[in-house]
Amino acid sequence: MTEMSFLDGNMLDGPLRELFAVDVSGATGRCENCGVVGPMGTLRVYSHAPGLVGRCPSCAEVMLRLVRSPSWARLDLRGTTFLQVPVPLDQPHPRPL
Amino acid sequence: MLSAGPTPRVPLDTWEFVITTETGAEYRWSWSELMALPQETPQVDIHCVTRWSKLGTTWQGVSLDTLLDGVDTDADYVMAHSYGGYTTNLPLEDLRGGRAWVAHTFEGEELPGEHGGPARLLVPHLYFWKSAKWVRGLRLMTTDEPGFWETAGYHDYGDPWREQRYQGD
């Protein structure tokens, strides 16, 4: 019997396209558990499961869970402190007053 | 064979199963203590939430009736905890009445790590994500709390006959 394999986080772009206007694999994320900061495309994604589970490449804690039912998608990011997404200046974005 | 993460490797000489009550009291079994308890050989059908079922599977393990016998609790719910961090919640009542086991043998062979060995929870009347692989203990709770897949939108009970896959089903 072989060890369960995982996919790299670049595969998240397709499943998350329904939720985000950007490719999440290009975003930078911080692991809530170990604090490592890196591209979400480097997550280890376990897809042979009731949903997608993205684990930190450094400490293996869960950073992301995505469950898709026939009528909704739920993204749980409690293991991710922040997502930093490249946003060019010519796009509207929130500014401090 | 579904898995939300890497397979934990748990040496039998450090393996333990712990039931923790709502007051913090702990009941512990080592591997040898578990194997010394009365063993049962349930033949059951199992149902995965990803729409497959496997009929007439044969397991060996210790009934939760045996493990819960003598545990002093007023709890109504259980959070099963696994080596590797997985959790899943169940009503305590569903672990009683000859319906749930800590299973260590499948079809006459010791349970492989990829399938949840050394021991997994076996609760065949609920969807199989409730049958926590690599189980290491139960935390008894007076109120229900969602586990790993339940916080992500899966059903708190998970009755396959009512197709309780997602919250709201």
Coordinates of all heavy atoms in Angstrom, one line a residue, chain B residues 7 17-18 32 46 165:
Chain B
T7 N -0.5 10.3 6.5 CA -0.9 9.2 7.4 C 0.0 9.2 8.7 O 1.2 9.1 8.5 CB -0.7 7.8 6.7 OG1 -1.5 7.8 5.6 CG2 -1.0 6.7 7.6
F17 N -5.5 5.0 24.1 CA -6.9 5.5 23.8 C -7.4 6.1 25.1 O -7.3 5.5 26.2 CB -7.8 4.4 23.4 CG -9.2 4.8 23.0 CD1 -9.4 5.4 21.8 CD2 -10.2 4.5 23.9 CE1 -10.7 5.8 21.5 CE2 -11.5 4.9 23.6 CZ -11.8 5.5 22.4
V18 N -7.9 7.3 25.0 CA -8.3 8.1 26.3 C -9.7 8.6 26.1 O -10.0 9.3 25.1 CB -7.3 9.3 26.5 CG1 -7.7 10.0 27.8 CG2 -5.9 8.8 26.5
S32 N -1.9 -3.0 24.7 CA -2.1 -4.3 25.3 C -3.3 -4.4 26.2 O -4.0 -5.4 26.2 CB -0.8 -4.7 26.1 OG -0.6 -3.7 27.1
I46 N -20.6 -0.4 5.1 CA -20.1 1.0 5.4 C -20.5 1.9 4.2 O -20.6 1.4 3.1 CB -18.6 1.0 5.6 CG1 -17.8 0.3 4.5 CG2 -18.3 0.3 7.0 CD1 -16.3 0.4 4.7
R165 N -25.6 14.7 4.1 CA -24.2 15.0 3.8 C -23.8 16.4 4.3 O -22.8 16.5 5.0 CB -24.1 15.0 2.3 CG -24.2 13.6 1.7 CD -23.9 13.6 0.2 NE -23.9 12.3 -0.4 CZ -25.0 11.7 -0.8 NH1 -26.1 12.2 -0.7 NH2 -24.9 10.4 -1.3

